[in-house]
């Protein structure tokens, strides 16, 4: 494979753990000392953003919002922006993508703990607390409120994408001409890859996540995969997806093994990958095809055989058998 880094350009790479995964930063720069300082700054940025956006951090904006008795909380501009964008993906997908699905997620987590499926009544009760339309956004005051008591939000389907984009914005503002931000396989590649021209992305085998099904290349842009294989609920020995359909309260079809979305920015790719997982193959591909700048690759299982389906402009795959 063609691989030729011009002598004056240095490659700086560092891996650290945040957001529950390994984050790898690769920077190409003529000034390696400067790039090393930029890498440290980028990881600080990730840590700061995680501490406001993650529901697993006790003092985050999301934890504050989910605890408020009054049903409203002042949040940072980052949190406001992600919630605003998430609400517009809610509208775009007619509610398939919904960050207020948290009560359903908790219900399924609880079901896993006690090892029995949630009852119809429990699902109805949780569903009555779900609806992105009941989020009230006051931009002037940077305040988010819930129209209904008991509502909660979870940015698990979009937050990582936003953070990756923020890191890329930071790197560009530090005059880094090209690089890669890879958070556990969800990535943004910016600028031209000085080693190969394009960026090569591996496609994971959802049935054997340690191995790859093939490769494709992109000039630059973002790639995000939503998969049922990394995180799931296990109840009475059966695995259920960690993505819940907010219209029914049920986990999405487990035979839809993974959805990989290409988009110009990572937040869009992230939200759309989760959305397509809920919408299913047909409606999901229609949504992707309706947008000129997004593509998707969907892997499904049919009687233990993997089937790969691609939107019309998805790059060519190589190194795979089917
Ligand atoms: P992803 O891996 O990006 O597809 O995100 C999955 C995560 O998003 C889950 O672990 C939940 O935290 C959250 N989530 C689950 N279902 C939905 C949904 N229908 N809409 C938005 N977020 C969801
Ligand atoms: Mg997502």
């Amino acid at each position: 494979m063609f691989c030729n880094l011009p002598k004056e350009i240095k490659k700086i790479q560092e891996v650290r753990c945040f957001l529950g995964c390994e984050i790898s930063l690769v920077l190409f720069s003529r000034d390696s000392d400067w790039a090393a300082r930029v890498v440290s700054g980028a990881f600080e940025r990730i840590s700061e953003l995680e501490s406001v956006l993650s529901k697993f951090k006790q003092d985050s904006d999301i934890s504050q919002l989910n605890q408020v008795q009054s049903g409203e909380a002042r949040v940072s501009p980052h949190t406001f922006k992600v919630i605003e964008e998430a609400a517009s993906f809610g509208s775009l997908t007619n509610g398939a993508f919904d960050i207020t699905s948290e009560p359903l997620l908790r219900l399924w987590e609880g079901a896993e703990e006690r090892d029995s499926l949630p009852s119809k009544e429990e699902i109805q009760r949780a569903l009555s607390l779900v609806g992105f339309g009941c989020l009230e956004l006051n931009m002037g005051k940077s305040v988010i409120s819930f129209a209904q008591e008991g509502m909660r939000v979870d940015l698990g389907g979009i937050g990582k994408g936003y953070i990756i984009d923020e890191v890329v914005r930071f790197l560009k503002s530090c005059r880094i001409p090209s690089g890669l931000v890879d958070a556990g396989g969800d990535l943004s590649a910016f600028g031209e890859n000085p080693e190969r021209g394009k960026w090569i992305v591996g496609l994971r085998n959802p049935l054997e996540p340690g191995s790859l099904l093939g490769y494709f290349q992109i000039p630059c842009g973002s790639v995000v995969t939503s998969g049922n294989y990394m995180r799931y609920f296990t109840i009475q020995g059966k695995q259920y997806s960690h993505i819940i359909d907010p219209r029914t309260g049920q986990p999405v079809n487990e035979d839809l093994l993974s959805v990989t979305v290409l988009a110009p920015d990572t937040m869009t790719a992230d939200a759309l990958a989760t959305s397509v997982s809920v919408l299913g193959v047909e409606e999901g591909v229609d949504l992707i095809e309706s947008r000129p700048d997004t593509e998707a690759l969907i892997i499904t299982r049919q009687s233990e055989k993997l089937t790969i389906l691609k939107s019309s402009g998805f790059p060519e795959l190589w190194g795979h058998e089917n």
Side-chain angles (χ1 to χ4, degrees):
M1 198 178 294
F2 173 60
C3 172
N4 190 9
L5 187 62
K7 252 210 304 284
E8 69 280 10
I9 297 185
K10 305 283 180 292
K11 180 178 183 176
I12 294 92
Q13 181 160 17
E14 197 171 323
V15 179
R16 292 195 203 168
C17 289
F18 288 102
L19 312 173
C21 63
E22 279 194 350
I23 303 197
S24 156
L25 299 182
V26 179
L27 271 57
F28 292 99
S29 171
R30 288 168 192 269
D31 182 345
S32 51
D33 291 343
W34 170 242
R37 296 222 303 274
V38 172
V39 165
S40 295
F43 279 118
E44 268 169 40
R45 266 273 190 319
I46 296 172
S47 168
E48 282 163 21
L49 287 164
E50 180 175 27
S51 66
V52 291
L53 295 175
S54 168
K55 73 167 181 180
F56 302 111
K57 301 277 171 188
Q58 222 183 348
D59 297 324
S60 72
D61 282 354
I62 299 307
S63 296
Q64 306 272 334
L65 185 58
N66 284 345
Q67 276 160 20
V68 283
Q69 297 303 317
S70 62
E72 70 169 41
R74 181 185 291 274
V75 297
S76 77
H78 291 295
T79 311
F80 195 90
K81 176 84 182 146
V82 181
I83 293 182
E84 195 180 27
E85 294 283 347
S88 70
F89 282 106
S91 303
L92 177 77
T93 60
N94 292 320
F97 184 84
D98 195 330
I99 53 164
T100 69
S101 301
E102 214 274 343
L104 286 166
L105 295 164
R106 288 183 128 206
L107 176 64
W108 282 91
E109 270 161 31
E112 178 174 52
E113 265 163 39
R114 69 179 193 221
D115 201 31
S116 74
L117 288 169
S119 68
K120 269 195 192 134
E121 293 70 32
E122 287 174 316
I123 289 181
Q124 280 312 319
R125 213 174 310 133
L127 275 174
S128 72
L129 297 171
V130 176
F132 69 93
C134 294
L135 283 171
E136 290 163 0
L137 284 74
N138 183 330
M139 171 130 46
K141 293 186 177 160
S142 203
V143 164
I144 307 285
S145 44
F146 297 139
Q148 233 198 111
E149 206 179 317
M151 286 181 67
R152 296 168 63 97
V153 291
D154 172 312
L155 302 181
I158 188 169
K160 195 201 262 184
Y162 179 82
I163 293 175
I164 293 174
D165 288 338
E166 274 296 302
V167 174
V168 170
R169 279 190 277 276
F170 171 74
L171 297 175
K172 286 181 174 171
S173 77
C174 295
R175 304 183 312 281
I176 299 297
S178 64
L180 178 75
V181 180
D182 181 339
D186 296 340
L187 61 91
S188 173
F190 65 97
E192 192 185 66
N193 181 344
E195 283 181 308
R196 302 187 171 91
K198 294 200 172 184
W199 301 90
I200 294 170
V201 183
L203 179 70
R204 264 192 208 144
N205 181 340
L207 294 182
E208 287 169 53
S211 73
L212 295 177
L213 269 187
Y215 300 88
F216 57 92
Q217 60 178 24
I218 53 170
C220 58
S222 298
V223 183
V224 174
T225 299
S226 276
N228 285 338
Y229 54 91
M230 297 297 260
R231 276 178 297 149
Y232 40 79
F233 306 117
T234 307
I235 303 171
Q236 292 171 350
K238 184 169 166 5
Q239 286 181 1
Y240 296 88
S241 174
H242 65 118
I243 301 173
I244 307 285
D245 186 336
R247 303 162 303 181
T248 61
Q250 297 293 331
V252 303
N253 181 353
E254 62 275 11
D255 289 333
L256 206 164
L257 297 175
S258 73
V259 176
T260 299
V261 172
L262 263 59
D265 66 275
T266 327
M267 181 173 64
T268 299
D270 194 356
L272 289 179
T274 310
S275 302
V276 172
S277 303
V278 177
L279 290 169
V281 174
E282 213 169 299
E283 258 190 272
V285 171
D286 284 351
L287 171 66
I288 295 293
E289 297 284 17
S290 74
R291 302 171 63 98
D293 51 2
T294 57
E295 300 297 337
L297 181 149
I298 302 176
I299 305 179
T300 57
R301 170 175 48 197
Q302 276 158 359
S303 28
E304 292 313 306
K305 194 174 168 291
L306 295 187
T307 304
I308 298 181
L309 193 124
K310 297 193 294 179
S311 62
S312 52
F314 199 94
E316 189 194 336
L317 258 193
W318 75 86
H320 77 110
E321 284 157 16
N322 19 15

